[in-house]
């Protein structure tokens, strides 16, 4: 790590050597031992001013000289590229056979005048850093489909494409954008970038053949390979020169479309000539070139050394073209716009600056290729001016930059720096980042999301490829960057993996994908990749434990017992399995701060995901992708909504929005847990409102609902609470009014009945108990009676639905039911009787309460300030709140939390009728990194007690690392000794 820092600091010191004159980029140089006379050193000398050549040219009288060196081993020449940028090109004056370090003193001169004098060190090595980076990345480029345009061409198709290029001036005739201004071009696709992307992908397919084909690949026919190389050179020149880059590449009324490098591309959005998507996802027009370019580079460099003008033109065109990769959409360049994706960038305490989001994973494909494509360690990764600190002229503070703390100064330094940016914290709601509760948020335009698979897992793990690129080099990354993904791979993901599958509720846009494959492939591969990416001496504190956990998951032997609240993303997991029969239950909520799963599918499916969804898994595949494919997505487990039959609305990926409700929260003490949810949708498709709570104690999973009313017109159909929907993989037994009915998998039924008695149902290893709420209507549907949302992906494996029907216009309906894991049909009568004895619940005007006499656990949810009496205890809250109180035998375990997070909320105040030992009790906050919190004060009050929990609030911002509002809703737990 010290060596790494030394080189980075050396680069930075050289970059700032003489800010009163010219800023020099000359941080790293090497050359292979035994290189013959005239061989170029890898790494050139650059000026920061090269980025400004279009507005402030570099004098042709500038040149570099060596003024001091040992044994006259090196010489330097000055070269200007076609854009007018200056470089100092070093080469060996005589063969150097032994490895070592060779210091030189250099000067930049203007004629006879010395502008700068600066030291450099050339390393003579057995293998250059460039060769190491190339060897490590070349196979990455053929394993990532985006990098070759997802095209694997057969040899005949390659030959046909080359013929087309040769016949059409090296252009793909289907896309005639090559010699037409984007302002007047009539696109083949929706807009010009779709045509650019199509051509880039065609070139990508040729590049894949250059890397892998038996005929055109490295071991193929030499003449055929040479033809393909020349076809690639020609196609690359034609395409990259056709895409506008500089502002003056596109003229509007005689003036450039912009004044920065990259504006010729990104500013087309201002005139609606490209879509927003391409200027915020630039990789779509350039990633397809990465495989061909990386695979071509050794041959291209050899051709350039031989004086091949076509190869040199390709190289210069590539440098120009990839400026688009760091051009930023005009609307996202604002420094202090809280509506901007990166917020107030000048507020470095709360914003991580530009590109502080999960798209870094996408951008890393380009970044890691640049040191190879530049073939020059010291050329900065971009010339786009607003990435440089001097662009802002020390405003709003000295040294300010678009990405705080960084200004380009050499591509290996730059890319190594970006590989340390995978740990960006979220500091407020609706901000991309890694949440302190362990979840990951990415697309947050409508509110905080849980994107634990797409795109959060990529954000967490894509950097491992970069770690591997730089391992055991002078740019190796520090332990911290390895520790970060290791902690989440160990402490978060396994808890959400059950029987080899990840929970679809928090998988983000991939909710309908094969989440078993995600675990067996993506998750386990990430652990192995992290291991392989370590440098010698890299220390990951818990890696052995991570390996053991991953091995147990691989063998399907991983078990975990606990209850964990991911309070920021309103997600709770309650599971058992370490020393008892396994099961897994989870609940996912929304609020005015949170959204559910993104959805790009047609027809839309996940509209209701997040609206109080409560699935239970015992076998593990109850909600597999096959089951979800047969789902009526209007009837998700736990949902209280109108049972609509029409298609869920299309729109953007988070069109179902955040909720309109303030109150929503999850809390847990590690063993028991609860969730509070005011179902109050903001969007107009949903039609119901309700107070809903969820209670988890040992094997009990109880859901309560009240205040169920119609909230919108909808279709006028019945509002129901779906208890469960899953695969009808065995006999479904339903017991009510003294009789049992069995439904076989081959049957399709649509039955309903009304009863004022307890109802139980059973299938496989799962049971359901519905506690009577007066006269209540039950609905059972199976097989063909289910209105499958997407018949195009459905199979003949039927689902079943168990639901409580509240009627089309309930006055103020309610429900109470339990999900029962690990039970047989024969045990259900006794289990129902036991639950009736052990479970008490109350639903007041503003509160729900639950008491489990078996575990001596009280739970109370207050949607507003209120009071409730249950289990011989009166509990009063002075504000919306959640409270759990469990008698441990030796005292009490108290857990409280705020379901209405607000940085101004300082306290939660409760009064209970049970005496507790007075005192001041400090507490620790949980999450991925448990940390010190505040304290709870308990005072005697009559025969009971008053409890005041101090919360994270705006007074404590620095103490909570400026994540105060995120910690404001965290579970607060203390142990209280007996009186």
């Amino acid at each position: 790590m010290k060596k790494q820092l030394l080189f980075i600091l050396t680069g930075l010191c050289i970059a700032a050597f003489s800010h009163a004159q010219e800023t020099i980029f000359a941080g790293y140089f090497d050359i292979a031992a035994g290189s013959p006379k005239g061989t170029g050193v890898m790494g050139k000398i650059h000026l920061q001013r090269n980025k400004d050549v279009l507005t402030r040219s570099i004098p042709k009288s500038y040149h570099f000289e060596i003024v001091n060196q040992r044994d006259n081993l090196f010489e330097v020449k000055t070269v200007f590229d076609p854009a007018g940028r200056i470089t100092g090109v070093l080469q060996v004056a005589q063969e150097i056979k032994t490895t070592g370090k060779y210091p030189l003193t250099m000067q930049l001169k203007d004629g006879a005048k010395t502008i700068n004098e600066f030291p450099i060190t050339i390393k003579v090595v057995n293998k250059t850093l460039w060769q190491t980076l190339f060897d490590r990345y070349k196979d990455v480029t053929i394993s990532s489909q985006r990098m070759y345009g997802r095209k694997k061409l057969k040899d005949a198709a390659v030959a046909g494409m080359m013929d087309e290029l040769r016949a059409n001036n090296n252009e793909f005739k289907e896309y005639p954008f090559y010699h037409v201004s984007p302002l007047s071009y009539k696109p083949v696709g929706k807009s010009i970038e779709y045509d650019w992307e199509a051509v880039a992908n065609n070139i990508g397919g040729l590049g894949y053949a250059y890397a892998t084909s038996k005929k055109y690949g490295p071991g193929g026919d030499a003449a055929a390979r040479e033809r393909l190389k020349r076809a690639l050179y020609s196609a690359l020149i034609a395409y990259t020169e056709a895409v506008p880059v500089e502002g003056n590449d596109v003229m509007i009324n005689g003036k450039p479309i912009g004044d920065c490098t990259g504006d010729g591309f990104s500013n087309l959005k201002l005139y609606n000539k490209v879509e927003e998507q391409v200027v915020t996802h630039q990789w779509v027009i350039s990633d397809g070139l990465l495989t061909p370019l990386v695979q071509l580079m050794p041959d291209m460099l050899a051709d350039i050394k031989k004086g091949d003008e076509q190869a040199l033109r390709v190289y210069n065109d590539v440098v120009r073209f990839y400026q688009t990769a760091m051009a930023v959409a005009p609307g996202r360049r604002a420094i202090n716009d809280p509506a901007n994706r990166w917020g107030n960038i000048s507020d470095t305490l709360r914003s991580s600056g530009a590109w502080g989001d999960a798209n870094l994973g996408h951008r890393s494909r380009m970044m890691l290729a640049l040191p190879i494509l530049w073939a020059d360690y010291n050329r900065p990764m971009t010339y786009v001016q607003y990435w440089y600190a001097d662009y802002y002229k020390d405003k709003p503070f000295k040294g300010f930059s678009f990405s705080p703390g960084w200004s380009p100064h050499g591509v290996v330094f730059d890319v190594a720096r970006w590989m340390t940016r995978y740990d960006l914290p979220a500091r407020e709601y609706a901000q991309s980042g890694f949440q302190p509760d362990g979840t990951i948020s990415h697309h947050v335009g409508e509110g905080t999301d849980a994107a634990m698979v797409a795109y959060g897992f990529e954000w967490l793990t894509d950097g491992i490829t970069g770690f591997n690129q730089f391992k055991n080099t002078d740019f190796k990354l520090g332990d911290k960057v390895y520790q970060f993904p290791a902690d989440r791979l160990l402490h978060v993901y396994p808890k959400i993996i059950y029987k080899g599958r990840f929970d679809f509720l928090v998988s983000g846009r991939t909710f309908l994908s094969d989440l078993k494959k995600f675990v067996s492939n993506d998750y386990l591969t990430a652990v192995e990749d992290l291991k392989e990416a370590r440098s010698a001496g890299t220390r990951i504190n818990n890696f052995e434990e991570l390996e053991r956990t991953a091995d147990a998951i691989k063998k399907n032997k991983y078990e975990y017992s606990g209850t964990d609240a991911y309070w920021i993303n309103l997600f709770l997991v309650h599971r058992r399995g370490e020393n008892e029969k396994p099961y897994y239950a989870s609940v996912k909520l929304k609020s005015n701060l949170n959204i559910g799963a993104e959805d790009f599918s047609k027809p839309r499916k996940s509209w209701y995901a997040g609206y109080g969804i409560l699935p239970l898994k015992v076998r593990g595949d109850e909600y597999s992708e096959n089951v979800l494919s047969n789902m009526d997505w209007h009837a998700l487990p736990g949902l209280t909504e109108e049972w609509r039959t029409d298609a869920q609305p299309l729109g953007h990926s988070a069109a179902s929005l955040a909720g309109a409700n303030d109150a929503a929260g999850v809390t847990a003490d590690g063993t028991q847990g609860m969730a509070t949810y005011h179902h109050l949708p903001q969007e107009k498709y949903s039609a119901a409102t309700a107070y809903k709570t969820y209670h988890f104690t040992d094997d009990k999973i109880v859901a309560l609902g009240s205040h169920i009313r119609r909230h919108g017109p909808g279709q006028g159909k019945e509002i129901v609470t779906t208890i469960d929907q899953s695969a009808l993989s065995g006999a479904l037994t339903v017991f009510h009014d003294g009789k049992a009915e069995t439904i076989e998998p081959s049957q399709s039924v649509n039955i309903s009945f009304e009863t004022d008695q307890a109802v139980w149902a059973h299938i496989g290893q799962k049971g359901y108990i519905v506690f009577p709420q007066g006269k209540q209507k039950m609905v059972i549907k199976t097989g063909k009676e289910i209105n499958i949302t997407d018949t195009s992906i459905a199979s003949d494996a039927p689902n079943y639905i168990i639901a409580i029907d509240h009627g089309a216009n309930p006055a103020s309906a309610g429900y109470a039911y339990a999900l029962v894991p690990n039970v047989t049909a024969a045990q259900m009568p006794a289990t129902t009787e036991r639950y009736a004895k052990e479970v008490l619940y109350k639903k007041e005007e503003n509160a729900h309460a639950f008491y489990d006499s078996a575990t001596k656990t009280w739970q109370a949810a207050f949607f507003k300030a209120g009071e409730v009496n249950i289990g011989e205890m009166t509990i009063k809250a002075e504000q919306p709140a959640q409270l759990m109180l469990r008698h441990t035998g030796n005292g009490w375990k108290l857990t409280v939390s705020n379901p209405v997070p607000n940085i101004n909320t300082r306290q939660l105040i409760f009064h209970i009728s049970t005496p507790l030992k007075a005192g001041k009790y400090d507490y620790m906050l949980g999450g991925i990194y448990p940390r010190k919190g505040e304290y709870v004060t308990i005072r005697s009050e009559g025969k009971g007690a008053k409890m005041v929990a101090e919360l994270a609030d705006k007074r404590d911002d620095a103490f909570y690392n400026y994540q105060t509002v995120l910690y404001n809703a965290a579970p607060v737990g203390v142990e209280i000794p007996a009186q």
Side-chain angles (χ1 to χ4, degrees), residues 162-391:
M162 287 194 293
D163 288 343
E164 178 188 350
L165 289 168
R166 185 165 52 249
N168 292 282
N169 196 29
N170 307 310
E171 301 168 2
F172 289 94
K173 62 180 180 180
E174 183 183 353
Y175 305 102
F177 57 74
Y178 291 89
H179 307 288
V180 181
S181 167
L183 299 178
S184 58
Y185 178 66
K186 294 181 179 180
V188 177
K190 288 193 291 185
S191 50
I192 194 170
E193 74 267 20
Y194 291 90
D195 296 359
W196 288 339
E197 181 180 3
V199 168
N201 292 345
N202 282 345
I203 297 173
L206 293 175
Y208 188 84
Y210 195 78
T212 64
S213 166
K214 290 183 179 180
K215 179 177 181 180
Y216 297 102
D221 178 82
R225 182 168 174 79
E226 178 68 17
R227 285 197 303 274
L228 178 55
K229 181 181 75 172
R230 291 295 164 180
L232 280 165
Y233 282 176
S234 299
L236 283 162
I237 289 170
Y239 171 59
T240 57
E241 291 184 2
V243 177
V245 176
E246 299 292 347
N248 60 10
D249 287 344
V250 180
M251 304 299 288
I252 305 288
N253 297 324
K255 296 181 179 180
I257 197 171
D259 56 6
C260 288
T261 293
D263 282 358
F265 161 71
S266 61
N267 283 16
L268 291 172
K269 176 63 184 72
L270 298 174
Y271 298 89
N272 295 317
K273 295 301 179 181
V274 296
E275 295 180 359
E276 180 78 9
Q277 182 76 358
V278 72
V279 292
T280 59
H281 297 65
Q282 307 97 308
W283 54 88
V284 300
I285 68 162
S286 58
D287 264 12
L289 305 184
L290 293 176
T291 297
L293 286 170
V294 170
Q295 299 293 332
L296 278 169
M297 280 311 295
D299 295 334
M300 191 189 304
L301 294 175
D303 286 343
I304 291 172
K305 185 177 181 180
K306 291 185 290 188
D308 189 308
E309 292 186 1
Q310 187 185 34
L312 182 59
R313 183 174 173 182
V314 174
Y315 176 84
N316 287 322
D317 282 348
V318 167
V319 171
R320 171 189 171 277
F321 173 76
Y322 272 95
Q323 302 311 310
T324 63
M326 294 197 69
V328 176
R332 291 191 176 184
R333 296 183 206 168
I335 299 304
N336 285 328
D337 179 2
N340 189 358
R341 185 172 183 85
W342 304 295
N344 290 334
I345 294 177
S346 69
D347 183 2
T348 57
L349 298 176
R350 295 171 180 83
S351 171
S352 297
W355 286 9
D357 61 36
N359 283 338
L360 179 58
H362 287 300
R363 296 182 176 108
S364 69
R365 295 187 292 270
M366 168 273 297
M367 289 181 176
L368 293 171
L370 287 185
I372 300 166
L373 304 189
W374 279 191
D376 179 356
Y377 310 127
N378 304 313
R379 183 189 294 275
M381 70 184 294
T382 187
Y383 294 119
V384 175
Q385 289 83 0
Y386 42 79
W387 287 102
Y388 287 78
D390 71 341
Y391 181 82

Side-chain angles (χ1 to χ4, degrees), residues 728-734 741-745 747 762-764 766 825:
L728 189 61
S729 54
L732 172 63
T733 303
V734 181
E741 182 175 354
T742 299
I743 302 166
E744 298 294 341
Q747 293 180 262
H762 177 271
I763 184 171
K766 294 167 62 170

Side-chain angles (χ1 to χ4, degrees), residues 616-639:
L616 168 66
K617 294 189 278 191
V618 179
R619 191 175 59 243
D621 61 355
E622 288 90 341
Y623 310 98
S624 70
E625 71 282 2
N626 294 325
V627 177
L628 298 180
S629 294
N630 291 297
M631 186 83 78
D632 177 353
W633 286 84
H634 293 87
L636 290 176
L639 176 68

Side-chain angles (χ1 to χ4, degrees), residues 125 376 469 544 551 566 581 609 660 699 723 754 782 853 909:
V125 296
D376 179 356
Q469 282 295 103
E544 290 77 13
D551 186 61
Y566 302 90
K581 292 180 178 180
D699 67 340
I723 295 173
E754 285 189 330
T782 70
S853 63
I909 302 174

Side-chain angles (χ1 to χ4, degrees), residues 446-499:
E446 300 295 343
T448 293
D449 73 340
M452 301 298 288
V453 177
Y455 299 90
F457 193 76
E458 291 92 339
W459 192 357
L460 180 67
T461 61
D462 276 350
I464 296 174
T465 302
F467 304 170
N468 186 71
Q469 282 295 103
F470 293 113
K471 76 174 180 180
N472 296 322
T473 72
D474 292 318
F475 296 87
K476 67 181 181 181
L477 303 178
D479 295 348
K480 177 184 175 182
V481 301
Y482 291 82
Q483 191 66 56
F484 185 82
D487 289 340
R488 281 153 181 80
L489 291 171
L490 174 61
H491 296 304
V492 179
Y493 279 84
K495 293 179 180 178
I496 310 175
I497 293 170
Y498 180 75
K499 301 297 184 187

